[in-house]
Amino acid sequence: MRRGARLVIFAAVAIAIVLWLVGCAPGDAADSPGYVSGDGTVTEWAPADRGEPVELTGTSFEGEPVDVADHRGEVVLLNTWYASCPPCRAEAPDLVALDAQDGVQLIGVNSRDDAATALAFDRTFGVEYPSIDDSDGRAIAQLQGLVAINAVPTTLVLDHEGRVAARIVGSVEPSTLRSLVAAAGE
């Protein structure tokens, strides 16, 4: 076989492989490997069914201690997130707005990012609430047995006593989240 014919065959095979790989690639960041998206499922618990207050402590990306118990008397939103998570980025402005309300405290839990990445996210979205650096997995481990954290983002709504009033697996509509916060504050 002539050299020119071999080059044409080689080029055809290379193009076929590239097209095959592109065809198998996910079309959306939410479908990318390593990203588990929730479906927005909301679970609420009646006050009598809420169990014990959440005990969650950790250290923020700024090196400050974070303790959910310090916010008893407020509605607390615990939000798992990481900087490159598409729904986390989409819901950040809504979470920042909720955190600005009196009687509401947000606390993030991030197990994927280093401090520089997490703090850059905070600057980008104007986040002023703390996020626990959960690179060692201790924060999520503290929640095991209390409520399942199945996807990122997952948001837990804690009532004034620190008990889980609601859980949202995945991104949540702002109006739904505001309603859950109002219900937990009653």
Side-chain angles (χ1 to χ4, degrees):
M1 188 180 308
R2 295 174 34 183
R3 182 176 177 169
R6 280 185 277 179
L7 286 175
V8 169
I9 292 172
F10 176 75
V13 170
I15 290 171
I17 290 171
V18 168
L19 290 174
W20 176 73
L21 289 173
V22 169
C24 294
D28 188 321
D31 298 327
S32 296
Y35 174 77
V36 178
S37 176
D39 59 5
T41 301
V42 176
T43 306
E44 290 185 83
W45 287 269
D49 298 327
R50 291 184 183 164
E52 297 298 315
V54 170
E55 299 297 329
L56 177 65
T57 60
T59 304
S60 73
F61 285 100
E62 293 89 358
E64 300 294 324
V66 178
D67 188 343
V68 170
D70 292 343
H71 302 285
R72 299 287 192 258
E74 295 180 278
V75 173
V76 175
L77 299 177
L78 297 176
N79 177 260
T80 63
W81 68 279
Y82 62 95
S84 62
C85 157
C88 301
R89 297 178 73 78
E91 72 182 8
D94 299 318
L95 296 176
V96 167
L98 272 171
D99 184 56
Q101 291 182 5
D102 288 336
V104 179
Q105 174 63 51
L106 259 99
I107 298 174
V109 179
N110 183 321
S111 59
R112 294 194 183 191
D113 295 325
D114 60 21
T117 302
L119 294 172
F121 179 95
D122 289 352
R123 285 188 303 276
T124 298
F125 292 101
V127 173
E128 295 183 5
Y129 55 85
S131 283
I132 294 173
D133 176 356
D134 193 35
S135 54
D136 60 6
R138 288 184 186 171
I140 295 298
Q142 291 177 60
L143 298 172
Q144 295 304 325
L146 207 70
V147 65
I149 306 294
N150 299 342
V152 176
T154 292
T155 303
L156 302 179
V157 180
L158 308 183
D159 65 15
H160 288 136
E161 297 175 35
R163 302 173 305 159
V164 178
R167 176 188 67 194
I168 305 99
V169 179
S171 186
V172 62
E173 290 295 318
S175 60
T176 301
L177 191 53
R178 285 191 302 272
S179 295
L180 293 171
V181 167
E186 295 175 346

